[in-house]
Amino acid sequence: RKAADKEKLKAIIVYAQSAMCRWKILLKYFEQEVEWERCEHCDNCLKPASHLVGQTVQVPAASPVTT
């Protein structure tokens, strides 16, 4: 169970930190394949990460994860 929980945590981190389409990430998690790359509706599709180039982004420090 501990290993499964770690895998779920990894999936959550990928979802939160990725610049990929959020719908595509969710669908892949549930083993659904789609032909498109971007849904054009989620935050990552509406404002791609390329708009951050050259800008400083504040990222809060992560809390330690205990298992």
Coordinates of all heavy atoms in Angstrom, one line a residue:
R1 N 0.8 -1.2 0.0 CA 0.0 0.0 0.0 C 0.9 1.3 0.0 O 0.5 2.2 -0.6 CB -0.9 0.0 1.2 CG -1.7 1.2 1.3 CD -2.7 1.3 2.4 NE -3.2 2.6 2.4 CZ -4.3 2.9 3.0 NH1 -5.1 2.0 3.6 NH2 -4.7 4.2 3.0
K2 N 2.0 1.2 0.7 CA 2.9 2.4 0.8 C 3.4 2.8 -0.6 O 3.4 3.9 -0.9 CB 4.0 2.0 1.8 CG 4.8 3.2 2.3 CD 5.8 2.8 3.3 CE 6.4 3.9 4.0 NZ 7.3 3.5 5.0
A3 N 3.7 1.8 -1.4 CA 4.2 2.0 -2.7 C 3.1 2.6 -3.6 O 3.4 3.6 -4.4 CB 4.8 0.7 -3.4
A4 N 1.9 2.1 -3.5 CA 0.8 2.7 -4.2 C 0.5 4.1 -3.8 O 0.3 5.0 -4.7 CB -0.4 1.8 -4.0
D5 N 0.6 4.4 -2.5 CA 0.4 5.8 -2.1 C 1.5 6.7 -2.6 O 1.2 7.9 -3.0 CB 0.4 5.9 -0.6 CG -0.8 5.3 0.0 OD1 -1.8 5.1 -0.7 OD2 -0.8 5.0 1.3
K6 N 2.7 6.2 -2.7 CA 3.8 7.1 -3.3 C 3.6 7.3 -4.7 O 3.9 8.4 -5.2 CB 5.2 6.4 -3.1 CG 5.7 6.5 -1.6 CD 7.1 5.9 -1.5 CE 7.6 6.1 -0.1 NZ 8.9 5.7 0.1
E7 N 3.1 6.3 -5.5 CA 2.8 6.5 -6.9 C 1.7 7.6 -7.1 O 1.7 8.4 -8.0 CB 2.4 5.2 -7.6 CG 3.6 4.3 -7.7 CD 4.7 4.9 -8.5 OE1 4.5 5.5 -9.6 OE2 5.9 4.8 -8.1
K8 N 0.7 7.5 -6.2 CA -0.4 8.5 -6.3 C 0.1 9.9 -6.0 O -0.3 10.9 -6.7 CB -1.5 8.1 -5.3 CG -2.3 6.9 -5.8 CD -3.4 6.6 -4.7 CE -4.2 5.4 -5.1 NZ -5.2 5.0 -4.1
L9 N 1.0 10.0 -5.0 CA 1.6 11.3 -4.7 C 2.4 11.8 -5.9 O 2.3 13.0 -6.2 CB 2.5 11.2 -3.5 CG 3.2 12.5 -3.0 CD1 2.2 13.6 -2.7 CD2 4.1 12.2 -1.8
K10 N 3.2 11.0 -6.6 CA 3.9 11.4 -7.7 C 3.0 11.9 -8.8 O 3.3 12.9 -9.5 CB 4.7 10.2 -8.3 CG 6.0 9.9 -7.5 CD 6.7 8.7 -8.2 CE 7.9 8.2 -7.4 NZ 8.5 7.1 -8.1
A11 N 1.9 11.2 -9.0 CA 0.9 11.6 -10.1 C 0.3 13.0 -9.7 O 0.2 13.8 -10.6 CB -0.2 10.6 -10.2
I12 N 0.1 13.3 -8.5 CA -0.5 14.6 -8.0 C 0.6 15.7 -8.3 O 0.3 16.7 -8.8 CB -0.9 14.5 -6.6 CG1 -2.1 13.6 -6.4 CG2 -1.2 15.9 -6.0 CD1 -2.4 13.3 -4.9
I13 N 1.8 15.4 -8.0 CA 2.9 16.3 -8.2 C 3.1 16.7 -9.7 O 3.2 17.8 -10.0 CB 4.2 15.8 -7.5 CG1 4.1 15.8 -6.0 CG2 5.4 16.7 -8.0 CD1 5.2 15.1 -5.3
V14 N 3.0 15.6 -10.5 CA 3.1 15.9 -12.0 C 2.0 16.7 -12.4 O 2.2 17.7 -13.2 CB 3.2 14.5 -12.7 CG1 2.9 14.7 -14.2 CG2 4.5 13.8 -12.5
Y15 N 0.8 16.4 -12.0 CA -0.4 17.2 -12.4 C -0.2 18.7 -11.9 O -0.5 19.6 -12.7 CB -1.6 16.6 -11.7 CG -2.9 17.4 -12.0 CD1 -3.6 17.2 -13.2 CD2 -3.4 18.4 -11.1 CE1 -4.7 17.9 -13.5 CE2 -4.5 19.1 -11.4 CZ -5.2 18.9 -12.5 OH -6.3 19.6 -12.8
A16 N 0.3 18.9 -10.7 CA 0.4 20.3 -10.2 C 1.5 21.1 -10.9 O 1.4 22.3 -11.1 CB 0.6 20.2 -8.7
Q17 N 2.6 20.4 -11.2 CA 3.8 21.1 -11.7 C 3.9 21.1 -13.2 O 4.8 21.8 -13.7 CB 5.0 20.5 -11.0 CG 5.1 20.8 -9.6 CD 6.3 20.2 -8.9 OE1 7.1 19.4 -9.5 NE2 6.6 20.6 -7.7
S18 N 3.2 20.4 -13.9 CA 3.3 20.2 -15.3 C 2.8 21.4 -16.1 O 1.8 22.0 -15.7 CB 2.6 18.9 -15.8 OG 2.8 18.8 -17.2
A19 N 3.4 21.6 -17.3 CA 2.9 22.6 -18.2 C 2.0 22.0 -19.3 O 1.5 22.6 -20.1 CB 4.1 23.4 -18.8
M20 N 1.9 20.6 -19.2 CA 1.1 19.9 -20.1 C -0.4 20.2 -19.9 O -0.8 20.7 -18.8 CB 1.3 18.4 -20.0 CG 2.6 17.9 -20.5 SD 2.9 16.1 -20.2 CE 1.3 15.4 -20.8
C21 N -1.2 19.9 -20.9 CA -2.7 20.0 -20.7 C -3.1 19.2 -19.5 O -2.8 18.0 -19.4 CB -3.3 19.5 -22.0 SG -5.1 19.4 -21.9
R22 N -3.9 19.8 -18.6 CA -4.3 19.1 -17.4 C -5.3 18.0 -17.8 O -5.3 16.9 -17.1 CB -5.0 20.1 -16.5 CG -3.9 21.1 -16.0 CD -4.2 21.5 -14.6 NE -3.4 22.7 -14.3 CZ -2.2 22.6 -13.7 NH1 -1.6 21.5 -13.4 NH2 -1.5 23.7 -13.4
W23 N -6.2 18.2 -18.7 CA -7.1 17.1 -19.1 C -6.4 15.9 -19.6 O -6.7 14.8 -19.3 CB -8.1 17.6 -20.2 CG -9.3 18.4 -19.6 CD1 -9.5 19.7 -19.6 CD2 -10.3 17.8 -18.8 NE1 -10.6 20.0 -18.9 CE2 -11.2 18.8 -18.4 CE3 -10.6 16.5 -18.5 CZ2 -12.3 18.6 -17.7 CZ3 -11.8 16.2 -17.7 CH2 -12.6 17.3 -17.4
K24 N -5.3 16.2 -20.4 CA -4.6 15.1 -21.0 C -3.9 14.3 -19.9 O -3.9 13.0 -19.9 CB -3.5 15.6 -22.0 CG -2.8 14.5 -22.7 CD -2.6 14.8 -24.1 CE -1.8 13.7 -24.8 NZ -2.5 13.2 -26.0
I25 N -3.4 15.0 -18.9 CA -2.7 14.3 -17.7 C -3.8 13.4 -17.0 O -3.5 12.3 -16.6 CB -2.1 15.3 -16.8 CG1 -0.9 16.0 -17.5 CG2 -1.6 14.6 -15.5 CD1 -0.4 17.2 -16.7
L26 N -4.9 14.0 -16.7 CA -6.0 13.3 -16.0 C -6.4 12.0 -16.8 O -6.6 10.9 -16.2 CB -7.2 14.1 -15.7 CG -7.0 15.1 -14.6 CD1 -8.2 16.1 -14.6 CD2 -6.9 14.4 -13.3
L27 N -6.6 12.2 -18.1 CA -7.1 11.1 -18.9 C -6.0 10.0 -19.0 O -6.4 8.8 -18.9 CB -7.4 11.6 -20.3 CG -8.7 12.5 -20.4 CD1 -8.8 13.1 -21.8 CD2 -9.9 11.7 -20.0
K28 N -4.8 10.4 -19.0 CA -3.7 9.4 -19.1 C -3.6 8.6 -17.7 O -3.4 7.4 -17.7 CB -2.3 10.1 -19.3 CG -1.2 9.1 -19.5 CD 0.1 9.8 -19.9 CE 1.1 8.7 -20.0 NZ 1.9 8.9 -21.2
Y29 N -3.9 9.3 -16.6 CA -3.9 8.7 -15.3 C -4.9 7.6 -15.3 O -4.7 6.5 -14.7 CB -4.1 9.7 -14.2 CG -4.2 9.1 -12.8 CD1 -3.1 8.8 -12.1 CD2 -5.5 8.8 -12.3 CE1 -3.1 8.3 -10.9 CE2 -5.5 8.3 -11.0 CZ -4.4 8.0 -10.3 OH -4.5 7.5 -9.0
F30 N -6.1 7.9 -15.9 CA -7.2 6.9 -15.9 C -7.1 6.0 -17.2 O -8.1 5.4 -17.5 CB -8.5 7.6 -15.9 CG -8.8 8.2 -14.5 CD1 -8.7 9.6 -14.3 CD2 -9.1 7.4 -13.4 CE1 -8.9 10.1 -13.1 CE2 -9.3 7.9 -12.2 CZ -9.2 9.3 -12.0
E31 N -5.9 5.9 -17.8 CA -5.6 5.1 -18.9 C -6.5 5.3 -20.1 O -6.9 4.4 -20.8 CB -5.7 3.6 -18.5 CG -4.7 3.3 -17.4 CD -4.8 1.9 -16.8 OE1 -5.7 1.1 -17.3 OE2 -3.9 1.5 -16.0
Q32 N -6.9 6.6 -20.3 CA -7.6 7.0 -21.5 C -6.7 7.7 -22.5 O -6.0 8.6 -22.1 CB -8.8 7.9 -21.1 CG -9.7 7.3 -20.2 CD -10.6 6.2 -20.8 OE1 -11.0 6.4 -21.9 NE2 -10.8 5.1 -20.1
E33 N -6.6 7.3 -23.7 CA -5.8 7.9 -24.7 C -6.6 8.8 -25.6 O -7.7 8.4 -26.0 CB -5.0 6.9 -25.5 CG -4.0 6.1 -24.7 CD -2.8 7.0 -24.2 OE1 -2.4 7.9 -24.9 OE2 -2.3 6.7 -23.1
V34 N -6.1 10.0 -25.9 CA -6.8 10.9 -26.8 C -5.8 11.3 -27.9 O -4.6 11.2 -27.7 CB -7.3 12.1 -26.1 CG1 -8.5 11.8 -25.2 CG2 -6.2 12.9 -25.3
E35 N -6.3 11.7 -29.0 CA -5.5 12.0 -30.2 C -5.0 13.5 -30.1 O -4.0 13.8 -30.8 CB -6.2 11.8 -31.5 CG -6.5 10.3 -31.7 CD -7.3 10.1 -33.0 OE1 -7.4 11.0 -33.8 OE2 -7.8 9.0 -33.1
W36 N -5.6 14.3 -29.4 CA -5.2 15.7 -29.3 C -4.2 16.0 -28.2 O -4.0 15.2 -27.3 CB -6.4 16.6 -29.1 CG -7.4 16.1 -28.0 CD1 -8.5 15.4 -28.3 CD2 -7.4 16.3 -26.6 NE1 -9.2 15.1 -27.1 CE2 -8.5 15.7 -26.1 CE3 -6.5 17.0 -25.8 CZ2 -8.7 15.7 -24.7 CZ3 -6.7 17.0 -24.4 CH2 -7.8 16.4 -23.9
E37 N -3.4 17.0 -28.4 CA -2.4 17.4 -27.4 C -2.8 18.4 -26.4 O -2.4 18.4 -25.2 CB -1.1 17.9 -28.1 CG -0.3 16.8 -28.8 CD 0.2 15.7 -27.9 OE1 0.7 16.0 -26.9 OE2 0.0 14.5 -28.3
R38 N -3.7 19.3 -26.8 CA -4.2 20.4 -25.9 C -5.7 20.5 -26.0 O -6.3 20.5 -27.1 CB -3.5 21.7 -26.3 CG -2.0 21.6 -26.3 CD -1.3 22.9 -26.5 NE -1.3 23.7 -25.4 CZ -0.6 23.6 -24.3 NH1 0.2 22.5 -24.1 NH2 -0.6 24.4 -23.3
C39 N -6.3 20.7 -24.8 CA -7.8 20.8 -24.8 C -8.3 22.2 -25.1 O -9.4 22.4 -25.5 CB -8.3 20.4 -23.4 SG -7.9 21.6 -22.1
E40 N -7.4 23.2 -24.9 CA -7.6 24.6 -25.2 C -8.6 25.1 -24.2 O -9.2 26.2 -24.4 CB -8.1 24.8 -26.6 CG -7.1 24.4 -27.7 CD -5.8 25.0 -27.6 OE1 -5.6 26.1 -27.1 OE2 -4.8 24.4 -28.0
H41 N -8.8 24.5 -23.0 CA -9.8 24.9 -22.0 C -9.1 25.1 -20.6 O -9.6 25.9 -19.8 CB -11.0 24.0 -21.9 CG -11.8 24.0 -23.1 ND1 -12.6 25.0 -23.5 CD2 -11.9 23.0 -24.1 CE1 -13.2 24.7 -24.7 NE2 -12.8 23.5 -25.0
C42 N -8.1 24.3 -20.3 CA -7.5 24.3 -19.0 C -6.5 25.5 -18.9 O -6.2 26.1 -19.9 CB -6.8 23.0 -18.7 SG -5.3 22.7 -19.6
D43 N -6.1 25.8 -17.7 CA -5.2 26.9 -17.5 C -3.9 26.8 -18.2 O -3.4 27.8 -18.8 CB -4.9 27.1 -16.0 CG -4.2 25.9 -15.3 OD1 -4.5 24.7 -15.7 OD2 -3.4 26.1 -14.4
N44 N -3.3 25.6 -18.4 CA -2.1 25.4 -19.1 C -2.3 25.6 -20.6 O -1.3 26.0 -21.3 CB -1.5 24.0 -18.8 CG -0.9 23.9 -17.5 OD1 -0.6 25.0 -16.8 ND2 -0.7 22.7 -17.0
C45 N -3.4 25.3 -21.1 CA -3.7 25.5 -22.6 C -4.0 27.0 -22.8 O -3.6 27.5 -23.9 CB -4.9 24.6 -23.0 SG -4.4 22.9 -23.1
L46 N -4.7 27.6 -21.9 CA -5.1 29.0 -22.1 C -3.9 29.9 -22.0 O -3.9 31.0 -22.6 CB -6.3 29.4 -21.2 CG -7.6 28.7 -21.5 CD1 -8.6 29.1 -20.4 CD2 -8.1 29.0 -22.9
K47 N -3.0 29.6 -21.0 CA -1.8 30.4 -20.8 C -0.6 29.5 -20.7 O -0.2 29.1 -19.6 CB -2.0 31.2 -19.5 CG -3.0 32.3 -19.6 CD -2.9 33.2 -18.4 CE -3.8 34.4 -18.5 NZ -3.6 35.4 -17.5
P48 N -0.1 29.1 -21.9 CA 1.1 28.2 -21.9 C 2.3 28.8 -21.2 O 2.4 30.0 -21.0 CB 1.4 28.1 -23.4 CG 0.1 28.5 -24.1 CD -0.5 29.5 -23.2
A49 N 3.1 28.0 -20.7 CA 4.3 28.4 -19.9 C 5.2 29.3 -20.6 O 5.9 30.0 -20.0 CB 5.0 27.1 -19.4
S50 N 5.2 29.3 -21.9 CA 6.1 30.2 -22.7 C 5.8 31.7 -22.3 O 6.7 32.5 -22.5 CB 5.9 30.0 -24.2 OG 4.6 30.3 -24.6
H51 N 4.7 32.0 -21.8 CA 4.5 33.4 -21.4 C 5.3 33.8 -20.2 O 5.4 35.0 -19.8 CB 3.0 33.7 -21.2 CG 2.4 33.2 -19.9 ND1 2.1 31.9 -19.6 CD2 2.1 33.9 -18.7 CE1 1.7 31.7 -18.4 NE2 1.7 32.9 -17.8
L52 N 5.9 32.8 -19.5 CA 6.7 33.1 -18.3 C 8.2 33.2 -18.6 O 8.9 33.6 -17.7 CB 6.5 31.9 -17.3 CG 5.1 31.7 -16.8 CD1 5.1 30.4 -15.9 CD2 4.6 32.8 -16.0
V53 N 8.6 33.0 -19.8 CA 10.0 33.1 -20.2 C 10.5 34.5 -19.8 O 9.9 35.5 -20.2 CB 10.2 32.8 -21.7 CG1 11.6 33.1 -22.1 CG2 9.8 31.4 -21.9
G54 N 11.6 34.6 -19.1 CA 12.2 35.8 -18.7 C 11.6 36.5 -17.4 O 12.1 37.5 -17.0
Q55 N 10.6 35.8 -16.9 CA 10.0 36.4 -15.7 C 10.4 35.5 -14.4 O 10.7 34.4 -14.6 CB 8.4 36.3 -15.7 CG 7.9 37.2 -16.8 CD 6.3 37.1 -16.8 OE1 5.7 36.7 -15.9 NE2 5.7 37.6 -17.9
T56 N 10.5 36.2 -13.3 CA 10.7 35.5 -12.1 C 9.4 35.0 -11.5 O 8.5 35.8 -11.3 CB 11.5 36.4 -11.1 OG1 12.6 36.9 -11.7 CG2 11.8 35.7 -9.8
V57 N 9.4 33.7 -11.1 CA 8.2 33.2 -10.6 C 8.5 32.7 -9.1 O 9.5 32.1 -8.9 CB 7.7 31.9 -11.4 CG1 6.5 31.3 -10.8 CG2 7.5 32.3 -12.8
Q58 N 7.6 33.2 -8.2 CA 7.8 32.8 -6.8 C 7.1 31.5 -6.6 O 5.9 31.3 -6.9 CB 7.1 33.9 -5.9 CG 7.7 35.2 -6.0 CD 9.1 35.3 -5.2 OE1 9.3 34.5 -4.3 NE2 9.9 36.1 -5.6
V59 N 7.9 30.5 -6.1 CA 7.3 29.2 -5.8 C 7.5 28.9 -4.3 O 8.6 29.0 -3.8 CB 8.0 28.1 -6.6 CG1 7.5 26.7 -6.3 CG2 7.9 28.4 -8.1
P60 N 6.4 28.6 -3.6 CA 6.6 28.4 -2.1 C 7.3 27.1 -1.9 O 7.3 26.2 -2.7 CB 5.1 28.3 -1.7 CG 4.3 28.0 -2.9 CD 5.1 28.6 -4.0
A61 N 8.0 27.1 -0.8 CA 8.8 25.9 -0.4 C 7.8 24.7 -0.1 O 6.8 24.9 0.4 CB 9.7 26.1 0.8
A62 N 8.2 23.6 -0.6 CA 7.4 22.4 -0.3 C 7.5 21.9 1.1 O 8.5 22.0 1.7 CB 7.8 21.2 -1.3
S63 N 6.4 21.5 1.6 CA 6.3 20.9 3.0 C 6.9 19.5 2.9 O 6.7 18.8 1.9 CB 4.9 20.9 3.5 OG 4.4 22.1 3.5
P64 N 7.6 19.1 3.9 CA 8.1 17.7 3.9 C 7.0 16.7 3.9 O 6.0 16.9 4.6 CB 9.0 17.6 5.1 CG 8.6 18.8 6.0 CD 8.0 19.8 5.1
V65 N 7.1 15.6 3.2 CA 6.1 14.6 3.2 C 6.6 13.4 4.0 O 7.7 12.9 3.9 CB 5.9 14.0 1.7 CG1 5.0 12.9 1.7 CG2 5.4 15.2 0.8
T66 N 5.8 13.1 5.0 CA 6.2 11.9 5.9 C 5.4 10.7 5.5 O 4.2 10.8 5.2 CB 6.0 12.3 7.4 OG1 4.6 12.7 7.5 CG2 6.9 13.4 7.8
T67 N 6.0 9.6 5.5 CA 5.3 8.3 5.2 C 5.5 7.4 6.3 O 6.3 7.4 7.2 CB 5.9 7.7 3.9 OG1 7.3 7.5 4.1 CG2 5.6 8.6 2.7

